[in-house]
Amino acid sequence: MYVPSMALPTNSDIRALTFDLFGTVLDLGGSLTPFIAQLLKDKNSSLDPAEVWRRWRYRQRIEQYQDNIVAMGHSGYRPVARRACKCVLELFHLDRTQSDV
């Protein structure tokens, strides 16, 4: 937080630079939508891959919140993404294998 009365840090004062990676640096939707489209094609589904991605990403956030609410801590990206993927495929009544997920 910038406070006007404080001096700005110099380069020697900076020890780390952090930023959000997922969705900021990485375009997850753009990267994953082609794979979702192929999965839907393989399942003979006419679902919109972008809609499946949107629901998947939304469910990932819910899974992350649930981890925090029940004090599970941070499960990590992959376990949360897998749980969310399974949930969304079930929501759309798509049979799934471990390989699909």
Side-chain angles (χ1 to χ4, degrees), residues 32-38 40 46-54:
L32 294 174
T33 301
F35 293 99
I36 295 169
Q38 184 61 53
L40 294 173
S46 62
L47 289 168
D48 176 16
E51 176 62 13
V52 173
W53 166 248
R54 188 184 69 74

Side-chain angles (χ1 to χ4, degrees), residues 22 28 32 53 55-70 72-89 101:
F22 294 107
L28 295 177
L32 294 174
W53 166 248
R55 294 284 187 105
W56 183 10
R57 189 68 176 128
Y58 177 76
R59 184 65 201 189
Q60 282 179 284
R61 290 184 181 103
I62 291 172
E63 293 291 330
Q64 290 167 333
Y65 297 148
Q66 287 176 339
D67 280 1
N68 291 331
I69 288 169
V70 296
M72 291 175 62
H74 180 69
S75 295
Y77 182 78
R78 281 185 82 178
V80 167
R82 290 180 68 76
R83 287 195 312 260
C85 181
K86 289 176 186 178
C87 181
V88 169
L89 293 176
V101 175

